[in-house]
Amino acid sequence: MQRIALIGFGTVGQGLAEILLQKENELKKKYGYEWQIVAVSDAMKGSVFCSEGLDVPQLLHLAKENTSLTNYVCSKGCNSREKGWDAVETITKSNADVVCELAYTDLSTGEPAITHCKTAFETGKHIVTSNKGPAALAYRKMKKLADDNNVQFRIEGTVMSGTPILNLVEGPLAGNTIHSVKGIMNGTTNYILSQMEDGMTYNDALQKAKEFGYAEADPTGDVEGYDARAKVTILANVVMGESLNISDVSCQGITEISLDDIAKAKEKNARWKLIGCVENIDDKINAYVRPELMPMTHPLAGIMGATNAVTFNTDLMGDVTIVGAGAGRIETGFSILTDLLKIHKTT
Ligand code: HSE
């Protein structure tokens, strides 16, 4: 039985809870995977802990009704139940094996997520997270702390939601040297550019991207390219073994691209795409995020909506491209599930 604590119960946490409920029998039958959510702590919604496992439909109901988790009612009459713990108390005091860090992303300090990860490792708990803060700002430090405490730091959801990028390189592509990683790494901006091509204004398209749950809590991070820059940094460090800081990646977003630019590109049989890239050329690292005009014949030109695509240039396999969801509630919820299953299989 894997005991899970959720730090953050917003879009991704609720998406994960829905998937776990919906697939409970299938996961048990196929992978022998059994789970309990023993704690939820959310900065806005409050917190609740029960060492014997919380009633997940009730948690989801409270979240949907926008009601505090402190209104949770335990039907089991168990004796180990707490309300009002903050995130650090939840991580420290709960009996969770795995902490899913799903609080908000801060790409300046990485906090409070970095503290959550450190606390989990130091108390012997695995971390699964889609939060780009710790991975982009402190990957080596987090990984070492996890290794030193014999637990795992799993971050599949930080790049392209549940589309297997990091696990692909760690698993099936292991043995290859990766020379470069290049592609469309932000769902919100690709969605906005796609909608603008159909005549929607920038602001309306951004509003829709927020409604669909693609955009960051502060969408400046998407449209200015900061989200893609964090992903380039993660890919450089995790996949290519480099030691890049976010500030090493030059960055330009899509805010300067007008409907007119998009129409002109169309006339030239091309499309603007926000491209993230890290490449090793003769041991020199070049990393950037910028809009690029892609001819329609280029495979990335056909990637529309919130879909992302990344090409790995490898020594043994040449180019390997993966196309899939880059954002979304269920898609990112799945990224957490895939890492939970990985921990289940390897511990
Ligand atoms: N805001 C991000 C995107 C979510 O639009 O791609 C996934 O990191």
Side-chain angles (χ1 to χ4, degrees):
M1 176 72 67
Q2 189 181 72
R3 291 181 299 256
I4 301 166
L6 301 181
I7 304 302
F9 200 49
T11 311
V12 181
Q14 291 173 48
L16 170 68
E18 281 170 28
I19 298 172
L20 285 171
L21 270 185
Q22 191 197 330
K23 293 190 169 268
E24 189 164 9
N25 292 335
E26 186 184 336
L27 292 171
K28 185 174 171 188
K29 205 165 137 198
K30 273 193 183 165
Y31 313 111
Y33 178 65
E34 294 182 87
W35 55 271
Q36 273 178 346
I37 295 179
V38 291
V40 180
S41 180
D42 183 284
M44 310 295 283
K45 300 181 177 72
S47 73
V48 58
F49 161 74
C50 175
S51 62
E52 292 162 47
L54 295 161
D55 171 14
V56 179
Q58 191 184 158
L59 293 173
L60 285 167
H61 178 73
L62 290 171
K64 295 226 155 77
E65 297 288 305
N66 238 340
T67 310
S68 168
L69 294 172
T70 49
N71 291 316
Y72 180 89
V73 178
C74 179
S75 52
K76 294 182 195 160
C78 45
N79 48 23
S80 173
R81 191 158 36 87
E82 291 285 344
K83 288 178 183 173
W85 279 351
D86 66 18
V88 169
E89 273 180 302
T90 301
I91 297 166
T92 312
K93 296 180 182 169
S94 77
N95 61 335
D97 309 303
V98 186
V99 173
C100 297
E101 209 294 335
L102 310 172
Y104 60 90
T105 295
D106 179 328
L107 290 175
S108 307
T109 65
E111 293 292 359
I114 287 181
T115 298
H116 298 162
C117 293
K118 273 190 196 161
T119 309
F121 300 144
E122 285 164 1
T123 54
K125 298 172 178 90
H126 307 284
I127 280 279
V128 172
T129 187
S130 55
N131 191 323
K132 284 157 284 233
L137 298 172
Y139 177 72
R140 300 237 172 284
K141 218 164 147 188
M142 294 295 104
K143 178 80 173 73
K144 179 166 187 324
L145 203 52
D147 289 348
D148 288 349
N149 286 284
N150 285 319
V151 287
Q152 299 185 28
F153 177 47
R154 303 219 71 95
I155 58 169
E156 181 58 60
T158 58
V159 184
M160 275 179 79
S161 65
T163 305
I165 289 293
L166 304 175
N167 289 332
L168 177 73
V169 176
E170 182 187 311
L173 286 182
N176 281 278
T177 300
I178 313 279
H179 297 308
S180 70
V181 190
K182 181 170 180 172
I184 296 169
M185 300 175 188
N186 180 268
T188 302
T189 46
N190 206 53
Y191 175 80
I192 293 173
L193 293 172
S194 302
Q195 294 302 106
M196 283 172 76
E197 193 175 315
D198 289 339
M200 195 183 271
T201 65
Y202 171 89
N203 284 333
D204 285 352
L206 176 57
Q207 187 52 40
K208 285 263 171 228
K210 284 192 212 166
E211 283 166 29
F212 289 133
Y214 305 147
E216 297 297 298
D218 176 2
T220 316
D222 295 295
V223 296
E224 296 289 2
Y226 307 149
D227 172 78
R229 180 173 61 171
K231 291 167 180 167
V232 168
T233 311
I234 294 169
L235 288 165
N237 294 344
V238 180
V239 163
M240 293 173 66
E242 302 296 338
S243 293
L244 246 60
N245 294 315
I246 277 190
S247 55
D248 297 325
V249 183
S250 67
C251 182
Q252 186 192 338
I254 63 158
T255 50
E256 309 275 298
I257 296 180
S258 64
L259 280 172
D260 194 41
D261 292 328
I262 288 172
K264 279 187 184 140
K266 206 170 178 179
E267 282 166 19
K268 289 188 213 150
N269 214 20
R271 271 191 184 124
W272 284 105
K273 293 288 175 193
L274 186 67
I275 300 298
C277 175
V278 51
E279 55 195 0
N280 182 331
I281 302 171
D282 298 331
D283 281 341
K284 199 171 173 307
I285 299 298
N286 179 33
Y288 62 84
V289 172
R290 66 181 179 224
E292 285 186 6
L293 198 57
M294 294 283 168
M296 287 301 186
T297 47
H298 193 286
L300 291 179
I303 308 295
M304 302 300 275
T307 304
N308 286 188
V310 161
T311 299
F312 296 100
N313 180 259
T314 71
D315 59 344
L316 306 176
M317 283 294 296
D319 280 353
V320 176
T321 299
I322 182 156
V323 179
R329 195 174 105 265
I330 293 298
E331 294 84 347
T332 313
F334 166 71
S335 75
I336 306 300
L337 173 64
T338 196
D339 279 346
L340 289 173
L341 285 173
K342 196 124 197 190
I343 290 171
H344 164 69
K345 283 180 203 158
T346 53
T347 52

